[in-house]
Structures are given as structure tokens and as C-alpha cells.
Amino acid sequence: MAKIGFIGLGHMGGPMAENLVKAGHNLTVYDVTPVSLSGVVVAANLAELIQNVDYVVSMLPAGAHVREVYLGAEGLLAQAPKAITYIECSTIDVETAKAVHAAIAQKGGVCVDAPVSGGTASAAAGTLTFMVGGSDEAFAEVKPILEAMGKKIFHAGLAGCGQMAKICNNLLLGISMIGVCEAFNLGKALGLEPQAFFDICKEASGQCWSLTQYCPVPGILPHTPANKNYEPGFMAKMMLKDLNLAEDAAESAAAATPLGDKARDLYQAFCDAGGQDKDFSGIIEWLQRQ
Ligand code: NAD
């Protein structure tokens, strides 16, 4: 079993680390906030974490955190005693992912960008989808570790391709969640029962993951944030971050994403109105008030 350092034990990283422990791996973990996870060694800082591990898995909020943790003066690469294999799972910009790949390669280490899709329920169940960017050899090496946390492990291409797939997926997710919210809000305003609409739509051509797995209306699916006053889940500010990443990527590639622009503006307005720490499906209530 592998000796793994895990960094970032938040909504996603906590349950992912738990599944690595369940699979029999030896974990040393680090987070800037106090960690409550049993069966692991808690490191006081990155220097301590990196001393005695063969792999690092990180699950951090955004690109700036990843740059600090990997490339900072007190970061992993400055303090690693040997070349190891890094599995960077956060959702971040392609540029940062490529910079981290390049810095690790320069030190003789192995790296994959491996962002996930699936949310906190999948993280807990070990059924995440991983989109992996890196060489064939790196993919083959990390796959068994990712299988302890996920059900579907895709090789998206070379360095940065995992992030490209993730950004495009979340562009679609943001748009589809708003679409599902609008459809329920319109149905309700017209006098249609939400449950009746759900039962029909999940079998009809409008069905999508935001409807069938993450329905934003309370009382329809048992384990969704909608049933817990939109407690995250996946915070609206994280969705806004991903839509901004998609817009930046679209601009750099000169690709037209007009619905992505609109979805970003709507999530920005929802966050500005106080929704930033709510689950991203909570935008349904804000849309209803417009
Ligand atoms: P989170 O904020 O709950 O967790 C991030 C953790 O990183 C926190 O515990 C934080 O204290 C820690 N952290 C921040 N800076 C650090 C540092 N310098 N050193 C060590 N630890 C640090 O976020 P999350 O919801 O777990 O999301 C993590 C990543 O996964 C994000 O990039 C997000 O976009 C992506 N993601 C989230 C979901 C979801 O449903 N929550 C789904 C797919 C992907």
C-alpha cells in the first residue's frame, strides 16, 4: 500500500482521503484548518508532510492555493527530499496546471492533473469521475490510487487536458442547472406540481444530471442540498470560479460561449446577493425572486 500525503481536507478532500484510508493506504494529511479524520497522521505543515511520502494528492479551492502549495517558497517542490508522484485534483486554470506539471518535471517527479466530477456524495461513496491529464505512464501509475476514490477514470490527454475537460464540463453544468431551475420555476408559476414535472422530465428530452441527480427543488430527491436549505454540496462561489475559468479559457481560445457568459453573470449576481456559500442549486430561489 502507498504512502500518500493528502492536502486539503474540505468538502471533497475529506471524504476522498477517508476512502484512501479504507483502501489500506498510509496517509499523512495537511490542511490550514484543523483536521478531524481518524486513522491518519496529521502533519503540522507541508515540510513535515512531504518528508516520508511517495505520492501527494491535493484537493484545494483554486489556482492560487495550488501555486502556493506546490510552487511557493515554503511549498512542496521547494521542500521535497526526493522526486515523487503528484496527483493534483483541484479544479483550476489550465495555465497553473501546466506550470505545476513543468515545475515537477524539472525536479524529476511525475505529475497528473486529475480534477473530478460528482460532488460530495460521490466523494463519500468513492464514485467520483476523474479526468486525468498527463503521460500514458503517469496515468497507468496513478490509476490504482484514483480507483480507491472514483468509479470512472478517464485519460483526457497530456498535461492540462484533465482541467480542460473539467472546465468544459462545468460550463455545461452551470448552464444546465440554471435551465433546470428556470423550467421548475416556470412550471410552478403556470400551476404545474414540481413532482409531476420531475417524473415527466426525467423520462423526456430535457433530462440531465442537474435534474436527475441533483434536483434543485426540495422534497424530490432524498440526498440533495435542496433538502438541507441548500447547504453545500458544491458552493455557488465555486461554480462562479469554474464559470470564470471557462470564460478565461474561451477568451484565450477565441471560442464563443454566449450562454456561459450569461450563466457566469447570473452566478455572479446570486453570489453578490449573499448566495456565495450556499449550494449552487440554491440559485433557484434567487431566480424565483427576479
Ligand atoms: P473546500 O473549500 O471545502 O476545501 C478546500 C480545503 O483546502 C479546505 O479545507 C481549506 O482549508 C484547504 N486549504 C486551502 N488552502 C490551503 C493550503 N494553502 N494548504 C492546505 N490546505 C488548504 O472546497 P471543496 O468543495 O472540497 O473543493 C475543492 C476543489 O474541488 C475545488 O477546486 C472545487 O472546485 C473542486 N470540486 C468541488 C466539488 C464539490 O461538489 N464541492 C465537486 C467537484 C470539484
Side-chain angles (χ1 to χ4, degrees), residues 130-143:
F130 283 89
M131 309 162 208
V132 182
S135 67
D136 289 346
E137 296 75 26
F139 179 71
E141 185 188 344
V142 302
K143 197 164 175 254

Side-chain angles (χ1 to χ4, degrees), residues 113-114 129-133 139 143 146 152-157 162:
D113 50 298
T129 297
F130 283 89
M131 309 162 208
V132 182
F139 179 71
K143 197 164 175 254
L146 297 182
K152 293 185 184 145
I153 322 293
F154 291 105
H155 191 190

Side-chain angles (χ1 to χ4, degrees), residues 19-242:
N19 282 326
L20 288 173
V21 173
K22 275 190 210 148
H25 295 296
N26 296 314
L27 254 67
T28 303
V29 304
Y30 172 67
D31 195 298
V32 285
T33 61
V35 174
S36 60
L37 189 62
S38 52
V40 300
V41 174
V42 180
N45 48 43
L46 293 172
E48 203 175 296
L49 176 131
I50 198 69
Q51 287 319 306
N52 193 24
V53 294
D54 297 319
Y55 293 87
V56 159
V57 180
S58 55
M59 195 52 165
L60 297 160
H65 307 87
V66 171
R67 278 186 186 267
E68 183 195 330
V69 163
Y70 281 82
L71 310 176
E74 294 184 359
L76 294 171
L77 295 182
Q79 309 197 77
K82 59 178 180 181
I84 64 160
T85 296
Y86 296 89
I87 304 174
E88 211 304 290
C89 297
S90 328
T91 303
I92 59 169
D93 57 289
V94 175
E95 205 185 313
T96 297
K98 285 185 173 173
V100 167
H101 270 272
I104 290 170
Q106 212 177 27
K107 296 255 173 184
V110 173
C111 176
V112 293
D113 50 298
V116 307
S117 175
T120 48
S122 295
T127 57
L128 291 167
T129 297
F130 283 89
M131 309 162 208
V132 182
S135 67
D136 289 346
E137 296 75 26
F139 179 71
E141 185 188 344
V142 302
K143 197 164 175 254
I145 290 177
L146 297 182
E147 279 166 348
M149 302 180 281
K151 202 158 106 186
K152 293 185 184 145
I153 322 293
F154 291 105
H155 191 190
L158 293 175
C161 286
Q163 294 299 345
M164 294 173 204
K166 173 65 183 173
I167 286 170
C168 293
N169 179 77
N170 276 26
L171 171 75
L172 184 53
L173 176 64
I175 293 168
S176 74
M177 177 54 80
I178 290 169
V180 169
C181 293
E182 283 191 5
F184 271 103
N185 285 346
L186 175 61
K188 192 175 169 196
L190 294 171
L192 185 59
E193 280 300 323
Q195 184 67 55
F197 177 60
F198 176 80
D199 293 342
I200 294 163
C201 197
K202 81 177 180 1
E203 305 298 335
S205 51
Q207 65 109 338
C208 60
W209 187 90
S210 296
L211 178 95
T212 60
Q213 307 295 309
Y214 213 90
C215 186
V217 177
I220 305 266
L221 294 174
H223 302 299
T224 55
N227 293 318
K228 292 180 279 177
N229 197 25
Y230 300 102
E231 226 176 77
F234 182 43
M235 285 182 274
K237 67 182 174 196
M238 291 290 195
M239 173 49 83
L240 177 59
K241 177 197 80 168
D242 292 354

Side-chain angles (χ1 to χ4, degrees), residues 265-282:
D265 292 348
L266 290 170
Y267 270 103
Q268 180 73 65
F270 175 49
C271 288
D272 290 347
Q276 68 271 16
D277 293 329
K278 290 202 166 208
D279 187 76
F280 83 114
S281 60

